[in-house]
Amino acid sequence: MASNLPIPLPPRTPTPPPDDSPNGPDNSSRLDAQDKDSLSPLVDSFPPQRGSLNTEGSNRLSPTRASFTLSPSDNVPQNSQGDNGSAGPFNFKTTTMAKSPVVKSNIGQRRGHKYKHSSISHQIFLEPPPRAPLALPNSLPIPTFKECRASMSKDQKTRFWWSVCHMFVAAYTLWSAHGSLAMTALSHLILFDSLGALLCVSVDVLSNFEVWKRSSVRHPFGLERAEVLAGFAMCVLLLFMGMDLISHNLQHFLESSGHEPHHAHAHERVSVGSVDVTALLAISSTLISAIGLKNHGRIGKAMRFGYIESLPSVLSNPSHFLTLSCSTLLLLLPLVSVRLYNWLDVLLSSTIAISMCVIGVRLVKTLGSMLLMSYSGPGVKDVIRDIEADPSVFGVDDARFWQVHYGLCMANLKLRVSGSEENLIRLRERISSLIRNRLGGGYGSGGQRWEVSLQFTIEKS
């Protein structure tokens, strides 16, 4: 049975189409009549296709023509067939480009996304309310040395040259102090006074400019706090000079007790009955600086000593009192014997050195608290006690007293009060007057100026 099955024939190889088209000789003759360049895109027209497009339609659809147009006779539906063929899919028109440069315009354009322009964010991101400009300037120009020298008046120039002469007196006192320990201590005191006189002149010259007292954002209280910083540096110098004198006296004591000195210290006394010219120069220069330049006037007001506060204006200043008392005692030393002179010289030098350290520590503490914006003067507890004793005041919640510089202090108080509007106005005036009279010494006394700010919390009675 298997041998009776038919054998499959192999696949037939496809035969290429014959050269002669089966449609007849008309088609071959028509293809031969066509130009071989008729299909080129550079030719202005296409030959007519097989009855679908006429010559006019082929020229109209050529990509080399400037425009494609449709004749009115071509408005034939796509499904219809005729001699003119179907309408073309494009209808381009000639456009003439301008030769002038194109001006770029941002009208209707947006770069980036701005949240405040978003339609959704109008209810989320609101424009900040307009603020009034600051009443204070951002900063004021600081004068240079040339500008300060040009702004000096005749009186200021005289005071400046006198402060220089005061320094020469201090140098001469130190040069002639080789015969006395007390004279060495006096030379340190005169140096401190001369630096204070120069500081007073500098402050007077800087006050010619607006930046010294006018407030700004950079310097809220002007440049007057620079005087406090300079005074603090001078007080530190006074403290170190007092310590140097103490070490010098200890060294002299060890030398006199039998130890060999490293350097010879020959202390020669002034001849008996003579006048010490150096002591006279010290007294005269101190009085001129204290009266004419108001030397250490601001430091004396900031630092009060109860023991000498009742003395005249010049002697009430601890620095002037120490310099004048030391110079007067040195004038009297040549009137005593030689043995007593040596003991008094050492005792006076030690007393001056210890006094310089005490004054230096007191000044460093006072000016340091001023630099830290706090008030270290007396009378604060008494003022608070008197405020609490007022019947309209229920209590003092907060009380801040602080000193900005030598001439300005501030008091900020928060009180719980009760009463009518008129009573509260009188209470405010009474508390302000109490603080100014107790702490500032009252108006016209030359004390510090106090600015008082009060905040009342009204309690229901």
Side-chain angles (χ1 to χ4, degrees), residues 16 19 27 36 73 110 127 238 256 275 291 349 357 404 412 433 440 459:
D19 295 333
N27 296 330
K36 61 181 179 180
S73 62
R110 291 176 58 189
E127 292 287 343
L238 179 66
S256 62
V275 178
I291 298 174
S349 176
C357 291
V404 180
N412 303 324
S433 177
E459 297 285 342

Side-chain angles (χ1 to χ4, degrees), residues 121-437:
S121 62
H122 277 302
Q123 300 177 358
I124 302 176
F125 300 96
L126 301 178
E127 292 287 343
R131 295 186 303 175
L134 295 176
L136 299 178
N138 189 18
S139 62
L140 294 173
I142 298 177
T144 60
F145 178 76
K146 185 177 181 180
E147 293 174 348
C148 291
R149 187 178 60 181
S151 66
M152 292 175 64
S153 61
K154 184 177 180 180
D155 180 61
Q156 291 173 350
K157 292 180 180 179
T158 304
R159 296 172 64 185
F160 170 75
W161 288 113
W162 167 248
S163 62
V164 175
C165 294
H166 200 168
M167 288 186 178
F168 278 109
V169 173
Y172 174 76
T173 306
L174 182 62
W175 176 76
S176 62
H178 60 277
S180 174
L181 290 174
M183 190 65 69
T184 304
L186 180 62
S187 65
H188 289 69
L189 286 176
I190 298 176
L191 177 62
F192 178 72
D193 291 341
S194 63
L195 291 177
L198 182 61
L199 178 61
C200 291
V201 176
S202 301
V203 169
D204 195 12
V205 173
L206 288 174
S207 62
N208 297 334
F209 299 91
E210 188 180 14
V211 70
W212 181 252
K213 289 187 176 181
R214 185 180 177 184
S215 301
S216 61
V217 177
R218 186 174 184 180
H219 303 285
F221 305 100
L223 285 182
E224 291 191 68
R225 284 178 60 83
E227 182 184 3
V228 182
L229 183 60
F232 181 81
M234 287 175 50
C235 297
V236 173
L237 178 62
L238 179 66
L239 179 62
F240 277 101
M241 287 191 299
M243 292 180 178
D244 179 69
L245 288 175
I246 292 176
S247 65
H248 191 75
N249 291 333
L250 290 177
Q251 183 180 1
H252 179 74
F253 175 75
L254 293 176
E255 291 175 359
S256 62
S257 62
H259 294 79
E260 295 182 359
H262 296 284
H263 303 283
H265 292 272
H267 298 287
E268 300 176 357
R269 67 180 300 274
V270 182
S271 60
V272 179
S274 61
V275 178
D276 197 343
V277 180
T278 307
L280 286 178
L281 285 175
I283 293 174
S284 59
S285 61
T286 302
L287 289 175
I288 293 174
S289 296
I291 298 174
L293 276 69
K294 304 296 181 181
N295 188 19
H296 302 308
R298 297 179 180 87
I299 294 180
K301 292 177 182 178
M303 181 189 60
R304 301 171 182 176
F305 283 91
Y307 301 103
I308 62 176
E309 192 173 359
S310 59
L311 295 175
S313 59
V314 176
L315 296 178
S316 61
N317 193 308
S319 179
H320 297 159
F321 176 80
L322 188 60
T323 305
L324 293 175
S325 60
C326 178
S327 303
T328 304
L329 291 177
L330 285 175
L331 281 176
L332 300 176
L333 283 183
L335 302 179
V336 299
S337 62
V338 177
R339 185 175 182 180
L340 186 60
Y341 176 89
N342 293 330
W343 281 102
L344 289 177
D345 184 73
V346 175
L347 180 62
L348 184 59
S349 176
S350 302
T351 305
I352 294 174
I354 295 174
S355 301
M356 290 173 65
C357 291
V358 172
I359 295 175
V361 170
R362 183 75 176 272
L363 285 174
V364 165
K365 181 180 178 181
T366 303
L367 299 182
S369 63
M370 197 181 302
L371 289 175
L372 296 176
M373 304 290 283
S374 63
Y375 180 73
S376 60
V380 176
K381 294 182 179 179
D382 297 336
V383 169
I384 296 178
R385 189 184 303 112
D386 293 342
I387 294 175
E388 291 176 344
D390 193 280
S392 300
V393 178
F394 283 95
V396 179
D397 293 338
D398 192 10
R400 303 287 181 179
F401 296 86
W402 44 294
Q403 187 171 1
V404 180
H405 47 76
Y406 293 118
L408 177 61
C409 300
M410 303 187 74
N412 303 324
L413 291 89
K414 184 178 181 181
L415 310 176
R416 288 181 287 108
V417 298
S418 66
S420 61
E421 188 70 23
E422 296 179 358
N423 293 335
L424 294 182
I425 293 175
R426 284 195 293 266
L427 178 63
R428 188 183 298 272
E429 294 177 355
R430 179 181 176 276
I431 293 176
S432 301
S433 177
L434 178 64
I435 292 175
R436 293 189 179 104
N437 292 330

